[in-house]
Amino acid sequence: MKFNLRNCWFLPCFSALWLGCSEKDVSNGGLFPTVLIEASQILPFDQAATEVSFIPLRIPENQAINLSCRSPELTVYGNHLYFATKCMNQFAIHVFDWEGNYLRSYEKQGDGPEEYAWLQGMYIKNDTLTLSAGKGELVQYRLPDFRFIKRIEVGSYLFLNNFRALGPDTWLLSGEYDGTLDADGKYPVFVKKDLQSEKSEGIGLLGTPV
């Protein structure tokens, strides 16, 4: 089993990672399984990891690509590493192989119907790249040709960098706190959004404004 940890500059891969949980600790009563983890079940890092590999991301000299600006994001999908840069003048996704060799870049920044104005986060599933383009809008492209698929409105989020598809029309969203609190002065960190019914439901964890 390999565990991939995302980082701006390298991808450590840990093998033989183990965490013991007995069946009696697992509950499936809600949307997601709940697992009770006790302190005795957590291994020290030097016991859990048997190998750490560092992969330098190599940019060709003729490519003006800056990998160090403004909270970059790394996603592993298939045999490739997808590195999103969020510079104001370069909202782009750069693709590398497992050796760190540069393969290609995807970029359609702009205000056109098949473009994205911002790049706040990305998510890849079933050869579909979904980008958070700001103001609660997701833009989808087909891989590997970066062909435009559609735009999806998921709410009025000013900043949305964490999102996952739960079904064809259902999304799990975790955006920036927008100032809305419940009667106890808290807000849902995760929201389940049904696009068909336009119903939003807070899931589990609650937060308080700082």
Side-chain angles (χ1 to χ4, degrees):
M1 176 179 182
K2 285 190 174 181
F3 175 73
N4 297 319
L5 177 65
R6 296 185 301 179
N7 191 279
C8 299
W9 294 103
F10 58 88
L11 183 70
C13 299
F14 309 126
S15 59
L17 180 68
W18 175 86
L19 179 65
C21 299
S22 62
E23 292 186 3
K24 66 180 180 180
D25 296 329
V26 180
S27 171
N28 293 293
L31 178 63
F32 303 105
T34 300
V35 180
L36 175 62
I37 301 176
E38 299 178 353
S40 61
Q41 297 171 308
I42 302 176
L43 295 178
F45 181 84
D46 58 354
Q47 294 182 25
T50 59
E51 179 184 353
V52 178
S53 299
F54 294 86
I55 303 175
L57 302 182
R58 303 181 182 91
I59 299 295
E61 293 183 359
N62 62 347
Q63 295 286 338
I65 297 174
N66 181 7
L67 297 183
S68 63
C69 67
R70 197 183 179 196
S71 304
E73 181 176 349
L74 179 66
T75 293
V76 178
Y77 181 75
N79 296 321
H80 295 149
L81 312 177
Y82 292 79
F83 193 103
T85 55
K86 303 175 183 179
C87 312
M88 288 300 296
N89 61 343
Q90 190 185 79
F91 291 137
I93 298 93
H94 311 288
V95 187
F96 301 84
D97 64 18
W98 278 104
E99 301 298 323
N101 299 308
Y102 172 81
L103 300 177
R104 67 183 67 89
S105 293
Y106 298 127
E107 183 176 5
K108 288 188 177 180
Q109 183 177 354
D111 298 321
E114 298 186 1
E115 299 174 330
Y116 52 87
W118 295 83
L119 201 171
Q120 298 178 345
M122 67 175 170
Y123 165 64
I124 307 175
K125 184 178 181 181
N126 297 332
D127 293 334
T128 298
L129 170 64
T130 303
L131 304 180
S132 176
K135 299 181 179 179
E137 184 176 61
L138 305 179
V139 185
Q140 291 188 326
Y141 299 93
R142 181 69 65 194
L143 296 176
D145 59 356
F146 204 50
R147 175 173 50 86
F148 174 79
I149 300 175
K150 62 180 178 179
R151 311 182 82 89
I152 304 173
E153 298 287 343
V154 295
S156 57
Y157 292 93
L158 180 62
F159 188 84
L160 177 65
N161 65 331
N162 293 300
F163 49 95
R164 293 292 183 272
L166 300 179
D169 296 301
T170 308
W171 289 83
L172 180 67
L173 311 169
S174 181
E176 189 177 70
Y177 168 60
D178 65 359
T180 304
L181 300 173
D182 62 16
D184 297 322
K186 299 180 180 180
Y187 68 95
V189 177
F190 299 99
V191 174
K192 176 187 174 185
K193 174 80 175 200
D194 187 306
L195 301 181
Q196 290 291 337
S197 65
E198 298 186 354
K199 179 181 178 181
S200 297
E201 176 187 358
I203 302 296
L205 187 66
L206 296 176
T208 56
V210 178

